[in-house]
Amino acid sequence: MRSLNQSSISEFLLLGLSRQPQQQQLLFLLFLTMYLATVLGNLLIVLAISTDSRLHTPMYFFLSNLSFVDICFSSTTVPNVCDWQRSSAMHISKSGQYVAIFVARTVFTCLCSVVSTDWS
């Protein structure tokens, strides 16, 4: 009789980008700077489109939604990477991974529904 593997996965181990403290600090600052620039730039795009009435056309509505989606995508991944760079616990739970996949797929589905809308 064959015995079946009874092991289960409860968390995923992330190897990280570096184990050296100086490189971890540099990578943390690099990711944080890129995240802040991304969020600030996309917020400025959304603010400019929402305040200027000449930009209330379908193309700029789509651009505004795309900027919002980019903020959502950036805010689900980059803070976790920055946290993992600062801490020694480099793992993510199975349920946390499922939530991240669900959020990413939901945001992508909403973006696709906006793209497929007929604005004429």
Side-chain angles (χ1 to χ4, degrees):
M1 177 169 197
R2 291 177 120 175
S3 63
L4 298 175
N5 187 357
Q6 299 295 321
S7 63
S8 65
I9 298 173
S10 61
E11 62 187 21
F12 296 102
L13 179 64
L14 304 170
L15 296 178
L17 299 173
S18 174
R19 295 198 186 274
Q20 298 174 347
Q22 291 92 2
Q23 286 183 349
Q24 284 182 343
Q25 290 177 353
L26 179 66
L27 288 170
F28 172 77
L29 290 174
L30 179 70
F31 282 122
L32 183 64
T33 303
M34 289 184 344
Y35 172 69
L36 292 175
T38 301
V39 170
L40 181 64
N42 285 318
L43 283 175
L44 287 175
I45 290 172
V46 171
L47 181 66
I49 291 172
S50 64
T51 57
D52 192 355
S53 62
R54 294 175 295 169
L55 301 178
H56 292 177
T57 61
M59 180 181 73
Y60 288 106
F61 176 73
F62 172 69
L63 183 62
S64 176
N65 283 321
L66 191 61
S67 294
F68 178 72
V69 168
D70 191 28
I71 291 170
C72 292
F73 277 139
S74 300
S75 296
T76 57
T77 55
V78 178
N80 286 336
V81 171
C82 288
D83 182 43
W84 294 328
Q85 286 296 322
R86 300 289 291 168
S87 69
S88 60
M90 303 280 284
H91 58 83
I92 185 170
S93 66
K94 190 176 181 181
S95 61
Q97 182 65 33
Y98 288 149
V99 168
I101 291 171
F102 174 76
V103 168
R105 288 181 61 99
T106 302
V107 169
F108 182 72
T109 303
C110 291
L111 176 64
C112 287
S113 66
V114 168
V115 170
S116 67
T117 303
D118 185 18
W119 294 100
S120 54

